[in-house]
Amino acid sequence: MVMQTRYPHIVRDSNDSEPYVEGTRITVSRVVVEVGISPKIRDLERLVALYPGYLDLNKVRGAIDYYRDNKSEIDNYIAESRARAGKVIRTGPPSPI
């Protein structure tokens, strides 16, 4: 069940799930990683261009606003994601190079 947050276009599946942009599976943490914490308009427009039909400036701004008010929560999701990525890289097959 999709739960609305108090931020426009930002939803979550449950109270303990990672928030994402409504109508997509693009998480708030993904938006922050892509554009940074103090993005310029060109950063937002670049991200919108990567996901035509899914993101618009209002949705990206909603994600940034959510992040600014819930920084520690989203920073934890980012750290967990990076830790998982590092583990996959370390436990993957040896490089052929």
Side-chain angles (χ1 to χ4, degrees):
M1 179 176 135
V2 175
M3 299 172 55
Q4 291 294 132
T5 67
R6 65 183 188 94
Y7 299 85
H9 311 292
I10 305 302
V11 297
R12 54 190 338 148
D13 292 331
S14 66
N15 284 333
D16 60 346
S17 69
E18 187 168 359
Y20 59 93
V21 177
E22 186 174 30
T24 74
R25 295 306 294 171
I26 302 167
T27 61
V28 171
S29 63
R30 184 80 197 142
V31 170
V32 171
V33 167
E34 290 288 336
V35 300
I37 58 173
S38 296
K40 299 193 178 352
I41 189 68
R42 70 175 173 266
D43 300 322
L44 303 180
E45 291 170 341
R46 179 186 53 79
L47 183 60
V48 168
L50 288 174
Y51 298 97
Y54 295 98
L55 291 181
D56 60 37
L57 289 176
N58 289 329
K59 291 177 180 178
V60 175
R61 285 186 183 117
I64 297 299
D65 289 344
Y66 185 99
Y67 173 74
R68 287 183 178 146
D69 290 345
N70 300 278
K71 187 177 180 321
S72 62
E73 173 194 2
I74 301 304
D75 284 348
N76 285 336
Y77 285 121
I78 293 170
E80 289 170 6
S81 178
R82 288 181 175 158
R84 282 192 308 273
K87 186 175 182 179
V88 169
I89 291 169
R90 288 189 300 275
T91 61
S95 172
I97 300 175

